[in-house]
Amino acid sequence: MFKLNLKIALRNLKRNFVISMINIGGLSIALAAFILIVLYVNYETSYDKHNPNYENIYIVGRDLKDFKTNFTPPPLAEIIEQNCPEVALVGKMTPSNLEFPLISDAGRIYIKNTMVMNFNAAKIFDLHPQGGLKQPQGEIERLYYLNEASMRTLFPNKKDSMPELVLMGGKTLGLTAPIQGKIVPNPHSNLQFDGVAIGNNLGVAEGFGFPNYYTYIQVKPGTDIKALEAKIDRLMKAGMIKEKIDMGSLKNERVFLDPLANLHLKPQAGNDTNYKVVMALFILSMLIVVIACINFTNLTIAQANKRAKEVGIKKVLGSYRQLLTMQFITEILIQCVLSMLLALMLAELFMPTFNNLFEVPLSLAAGAEELYWMLPLILLIVTFIAGVYPALILSGFKPALVLKGNFEAGLQTSWIRKGLLVVQFSIAVIFIAGILIVNRQVEYLHTEDTGFEANQVLVIKNQMMYNKPEVFATFRDKVMKINGVKSATVANVVPGGEQTGSNGYTVEGREALLDFIDVDYDYFETLGIKLKSGRTFSKEFKSDTLNAAIINETAAAKYGLLDPVGKTIRGCNIDYKIIGVIKDFKSQGFEAAVQPTIYAMKNPCGNPRLSIMLKVDAAQMSAVLAALKAQWSGINRLDGEDFRYDFLDDLYGRLFKKQEQLKAVFFTASMLTVFIAVLGLFAFAKIMTSNRRKEIAVRKVLGASDFQVLKLLNSSFLWMLLIANVLAWPLVYLLARTWLDTFAYRVELSVVPFALAGVISLLLAVITVSLQATKAVQANPAAVLKHE
């Protein structure tokens, strides 16, 4: 019986080749997109799952009421270790973002991301350096490891596992360090680095006033996390009180524990934008499959008339409905299998493009474990969704009505087909309106005023600490002699998403937590930041280097100050005098709101000023770069051999990378959805027009014009498209509002995307239906009616 069903199925595929290819092609495209996105979602949601203690690892964070941070003081690790027996391991680490060269006889590399950690942190993250994980000797020793690519560059002919000596920071310094060997960071981990320095303890001389470390804990199975969280919170506050830390606005601080599973997509100290993007992609892929299944179901039902006599004769000859149902399901299963095979080929074909867009190493081979059980399940689900109902419809025809010749399956299934078409185009409208809204927001990110000027600003990579204005003055004097350099400044961070520190500051008895940024002269002038009131730092006022401060509009509003200039603000054990208020600027991009911030030239709580920024005349950029490179050894003694730079607008633009990816994928998904919907409408219109050929011929004989007939054929589809738009618009609004709410600064929703989506969908429907209807309209009525 199966062999007979298989033969019938193949013959029907051949007889209805165009419709079958539309069915198989549309479904295969949808499944290919689904496979790619499922692999991506699985990759993004499984970071660090290779770690054997994945479910028991947490990072200790601090909730400071206004924001959350994962930075904690170094003594916290020791306190947890001594007082929390339910914690198996306590590790701490701190990132070193200082970029410096390592030099060997064979080559030179630049270390950009060094992770300094204690031995327990290396154990928690299951690190396996070359020669095995070894514990350093004593409190001072550090064991240094580099990633495989760096080791290959520095020591291309290395065969043994003995340590190698390298120069650090340039040949002129004469600093050396032994490299123990290579360490390969798992690319599927939250912990990424170029190199690792492992010690026994970190931050020994630093107290609770130096929250510059990440503290990780590995708890014992079955630990009550909420109770442990409260216990660590009490220990933290007791330590701060013991050290007489001025808690100020930190009195509302509390400790939280964030599981390792959250850190990649939805960390508590951060935002869940990445998680929402991943889930949005998964939902999009599901919708594409749904629209393809609807397409499949609709076209199968629409062809029912062609199979009616076959069903009638088989039933008269004694065939049972169950056997007929199995026959039709077999036909649909064959089409689904062909679609799945074609989908795998398409997924493999477009995998490199997808990987390049999202910078991931996906492959069908690597994802075989997930796909092994998933693809057969998807195949069965798609076959069931797309095939069971059409099979029941086709197998349920009444033999008497069919064989009399007065049976029209369309009358029985018309409402079903129309309903499915409405759902299909509702999804298409959601995609069309969605891409218009996404495109508008992404364009807004690139065109809206950020409050500062990133163009023509060089960010020079540097090892020299310019914490004192008099030290940087020498540097400034040298670079300002180069034609084309308009201004020069240095700070501890640049506006490109870099995180800065925070501290409590008091004005007129009111306490608040402010971000602090350490700057030098010409910082605001170099970045084109506008002044709201007062003045910026000036060499004419010597006190500016001691106790002058500038705040932004948000900080002034937080304190409720209408005229802050001249008032005193206390923080870091200094009474600062506010000399100016700057307009807010979006240093963290558009997703995070501008934080209340204070700028000072003297800040005991601050980090080293390493980020040099130069404003350069656009017409002389090439000449300035050449001059800086040639003169760098005389300008900056630590980096004399290595002049390296970035453009600030490029650094800032990286903040929009995820949204650019979402836009690209959403655009592709929208095109696929519209393409599948139009394919379905094309085939549906072809079948419907074919079924109404006699009606069209009779109307033409009775005097109807071609335009009137085309209008008649389009009218039923247009009503369905209008209903689809009305159903889609509320969903589009809810989805768009949810996505836009992830931005602190966003466009306002208007009727334009909704109206455009409606117009585009209607135009596509009219063009698609008219292309099919024109053939029937132009046919000779005599040729159609000659057999009547």
Side-chain angles (χ1 to χ4, degrees):
M1 182 60 70
F2 177 78
K3 186 177 180 181
L4 177 62
N5 287 341
L6 181 61
K7 285 183 178 179
I8 295 171
L10 294 175
R11 286 170 183 168
N12 278 311
L13 285 176
K14 184 177 179 182
R15 186 182 303 119
N16 302 296
F17 184 77
V18 175
I19 302 300
S20 297
M21 289 303 101
I22 289 175
N23 260 350
I24 293 171
L27 191 55
S28 64
I29 291 170
L31 288 174
F34 182 76
I35 289 169
L36 287 174
I37 292 177
V38 162
L39 288 175
Y40 175 70
V41 170
N42 181 70
Y43 182 84
E44 290 291 312
T45 54
S46 58
Y47 265 65
D48 282 309
K49 278 193 175 180
H50 61 275
N51 193 314
N53 299 297
Y54 173 74
E55 294 181 353
N56 297 317
I57 297 173
Y58 295 80
I59 190 170
V60 183
R62 297 154 59 222
D63 186 344
L64 304 175
K65 188 178 179 181
D66 292 324
F67 73 99
K68 296 179 179 180
T69 178
N70 285 332
F71 281 109
T72 50
L76 181 62
E78 284 70 34
I79 290 178
I80 295 173
E81 200 166 30
Q82 295 164 8
N83 296 277
C84 301
E86 59 267 60
V87 177
L89 288 172
V90 184
K92 57 183 170 181
M93 63 179 71
T94 183
S96 173
N97 296 318
L98 176 65
E99 182 175 326
F100 59 91
L102 294 180
I103 306 165
S104 71
D105 293 337
R108 173 192 298 257
I109 62 166
Y110 297 98
I111 291 291
K112 301 178 182 178
N113 179 20
T114 304
M115 192 63 68
V116 183
M117 63 179 67
N118 68 353
F119 180 69
N120 281 346
K123 289 172 66 177
I124 288 173
F125 275 92
D126 197 33
L127 298 184
H128 298 284
Q130 185 179 16
L133 184 61
K134 302 172 184 175
Q135 186 160 4
Q137 300 297 316
E139 295 293 325
I140 299 175
E141 185 183 20
R142 295 282 188 271
L143 300 181
Y144 295 95
Y145 298 91
L146 298 177
N147 62 26
E148 189 171 8
S150 298
M151 287 295 291
R152 197 183 308 118
T153 301
L154 292 175
F155 310 106
N157 301 315
K158 185 174 176 59
K159 303 294 183 184
D160 57 49
S161 58
M162 298 298 293
E164 299 284 354
L165 210 61
V166 295
L167 284 169
M168 300 180 67
K171 294 179 179 179
T172 55
L173 291 179
L175 297 177
T176 61
I179 304 299
Q180 302 297 318
K182 67 181 179 182
I183 185 169
V184 182
N186 192 307
H188 207 186
S189 172
N190 289 290
L191 184 63
Q192 295 299 313
F193 46 79
D194 296 329
V196 170
I198 300 176
N200 279 322
N201 208 347
L202 306 178
V204 177
E206 299 173 80
F208 279 90
F210 296 88
N212 299 317
Y213 294 80
Y214 297 131
T215 303
Y216 287 92
I217 60 173
Q218 180 183 315
V219 302
K220 295 177 181 177
T223 299
D224 185 338
I225 299 302
K226 286 295 180 186
L228 178 60
E229 193 175 70
K231 185 176 183 180
I232 295 175
D233 183 62
R234 291 193 298 271
L235 292 170
M236 171 86 166
K237 289 175 179 173
M240 295 179 74
I241 293 170
K242 186 176 180 180
E243 288 192 10
K244 299 179 180 180
I245 299 294
D246 181 13
M247 299 190 58
S249 60
L250 303 182
K251 59 187 176 183
N252 295 316
E253 175 179 340
R254 71 170 185 85
V255 166
F256 65 84
L257 299 179
D258 204 8
L260 184 62
N262 284 358
L263 298 188
H264 181 60
L265 292 178
K266 45 181 181 179
Q268 290 191 45
N271 61 63
D272 60 352
T273 299
N274 290 344
Y275 177 76
K276 289 179 179 177
V277 168
V278 169
M279 290 300 103
L281 291 177
F282 182 70
I283 293 170
L284 294 182
S285 69
M286 292 292 292
L287 289 176
I288 293 173
V289 173
V290 168
I291 202 172
C293 288
I294 290 173
N295 204 42
F296 196 104
T297 303
N298 225 359
L299 293 181
T300 305
I301 295 174
Q303 295 182 86
N305 282 341
K306 293 185 178 181
R307 308 293 298 275
K309 288 184 180 179
E310 175 193 339
V311 173
I313 291 171
K314 285 187 175 182
K315 282 195 169 184
V316 168
L317 294 175
S319 183
Y320 292 103
R321 184 175 184 181
Q322 292 88 338
L323 293 176
L324 290 171
T325 301
M326 287 305 300
Q327 175 195 325
F328 292 124
I329 288 179
T330 300
E331 292 182 21
I332 290 163
L333 178 61
I334 290 171
Q335 293 184 59
C336 289
V337 169
L338 291 174
S339 297
M340 183 64 75
L341 293 174
L342 184 57
L344 287 170
M345 289 188 282
L346 289 173
E348 184 66 30
L349 179 65
F350 289 103
M351 187 78 73
T353 304
F354 189 89
N355 286 347
N356 185 57
L357 176 64
F358 284 96
E359 297 180 349
V360 290
L362 302 182
S363 70
L364 290 178
E369 186 176 342
E370 292 80 19
L371 294 177
Y372 179 77
W373 63 268
M374 191 177 293
L375 291 184
L377 180 63
I378 293 169
L379 184 63
L380 291 175
I381 292 173
V382 170
T383 301
F384 181 82
I385 294 173
V388 169
Y389 188 74
L392 293 175
I393 291 291
L394 293 170
S395 64
F397 292 160
K398 304 296 182 184
L401 291 175
V402 170
L403 298 178
K404 284 179 182 178
N406 59 358
F407 175 80
E408 284 290 337
L411 297 176
Q412 295 187 0
T413 60
S414 174
W415 66 274
I416 299 170
R417 289 182 283 108
K418 289 179 179 177
L420 290 174
L421 195 63
V422 166
V423 173
Q424 188 179 35
F425 263 88
S426 291
I427 295 173
V429 170
I430 290 172
F431 275 89
I432 295 170
I435 188 57
L436 293 173
I437 294 169
V438 169
N439 185 67
R440 188 178 171 203
Q441 174 64 16
V442 172
E443 187 176 341
Y444 172 83
L445 301 181
H446 290 288
T447 58
E448 180 65 11
D449 183 20
T450 59
F452 73 102
E453 298 172 5
N455 293 332
Q456 312 307 322
V457 175
L458 286 177
V459 179
I460 301 177
K461 299 176 180 181
N462 162 62
Q463 300 177 68
M464 185 78 176
M465 296 181 187
Y466 292 107
N467 293 339
K468 296 181 179 180
E470 58 270 22
V471 176
F472 189 69
T474 304
F475 175 94
R476 179 186 286 107
D477 292 341
K478 291 177 181 178
V479 297
M480 291 303 293
K481 292 176 182 177
I482 299 174
N483 290 333
V485 177
K486 295 181 176 180
S487 62
T489 192
V490 67
N492 61 339
V493 295
V494 299
E498 288 188 33
Q499 297 296 317
T500 184
S502 301
N503 200 9
Y505 290 84
T506 305
V507 178
E508 297 180 345
R510 290 188 290 269
E511 298 175 344
L513 196 69
L514 303 185
D515 286 358
F516 55 77
I517 296 180
D518 305 337
V519 300
D520 206 286
Y521 295 116
D522 298 330
Y523 175 82
F524 304 103
E525 291 78 4
T526 300
L527 296 177
I529 298 169
K530 298 178 178 62
L531 193 66
K532 182 179 181 181
S533 61
R535 62 176 179 85
T536 58
F537 299 115
S538 171
K539 299 182 185 68
E540 297 177 6
F541 300 89
K542 299 210 179 278
S543 59
D544 283 4
T545 62
L546 300 175
N547 65 346
I550 295 173
I551 61 175
N552 64 357
E553 291 177 296
T554 301
K558 194 171 188 69
Y559 289 111
L561 301 175
L562 297 178
D563 185 16
V565 177
K567 290 187 166 47
T568 298
I569 180 169
R570 181 170 178 78
C572 290
N573 297 318
I574 293 179
D575 288 325
Y576 291 102
K577 179 182 179 182
I578 300 174
I579 63 170
V581 179
I582 60 161
K583 290 183 177 291
D584 288 340
F585 68 99
K586 304 176 182 68
S587 63
Q588 300 295 321
F590 287 72
E591 293 178 18
V594 173
Q595 295 300 310
T597 307
I598 183 171
Y599 302 83
M601 295 182 69
K602 182 179 181 180
N603 186 3
C605 301
N607 294 318
R609 295 177 206 166
L610 297 167
S611 302
I612 298 171
M613 290 174 281
L614 307 182
K615 184 73 172 181
V616 179
D617 186 347
Q620 296 179 276
M621 179 62 76
S622 298
V624 169
L625 289 172
L628 285 169
K629 185 173 183 180
Q631 301 175 31
W632 196 241
S633 59
I635 296 174
N636 186 309
R637 63 181 180 84
L638 281 181
D639 294 282
E641 305 165 49
D642 305 280
F643 174 66
R644 304 173 316 284
Y645 65 91
D646 280 319
F647 290 104
L648 183 57
D649 52 357
D650 289 340
L651 294 176
Y652 192 73
R654 292 173 193 171
L655 295 175
F656 312 139
K657 187 174 182 179
K658 273 291 177 187
Q659 306 307 331
E660 291 284 0
Q661 290 173 340
L662 178 63
K663 175 186 173 182
V665 173
F666 207 100
F667 178 79
T668 304
S670 300
M671 294 301 101
L672 286 178
T673 304
V674 172
F675 176 71
I676 293 170
V678 169
L679 269 183
L681 184 60
F682 178 84
F684 191 77
K686 180 181 177 69
I687 294 168
M688 292 299 98
T689 304
S690 177
N691 290 343
R692 298 179 69 178
R693 287 173 68 248
K694 291 180 182 178
E695 176 193 343
I696 293 169
V698 170
R699 288 181 180 276
K700 290 192 71 175
V701 169
L702 296 176
S705 66
D706 289 356
F707 177 76
Q708 288 174 321
V709 175
L710 283 173
K711 181 180 175 183
L712 174 69
L713 294 173
N714 273 290
S715 60
S716 58
F717 289 100
L718 293 181
W719 277 110
M720 286 187 281
L721 262 293
L722 287 172
I723 294 171
N725 274 274
V726 171
L727 292 175
W729 288 340
L731 287 173
V732 173
Y733 179 83
L734 290 174
L735 293 172
R737 175 53 60 193
T738 301
W739 177 66
L740 287 173
D741 283 346
T742 62
F743 295 91
Y745 308 98
R746 54 187 177 266
V747 296
E748 291 299 324
L749 280 175
S750 67
V751 298
V752 175
F754 301 89
L756 275 176
V759 170
I760 291 170
S761 62
L762 290 173
L763 283 175
L764 287 172
V766 169
I767 293 170
T768 304
V769 174
S770 296
L771 285 173
Q772 278 301 315
T774 301
K775 296 178 182 179
V777 170
Q778 293 176 347
N780 188 348
V784 178
L785 299 174
K786 64 182 180 181
H787 298 295
E788 294 300 315

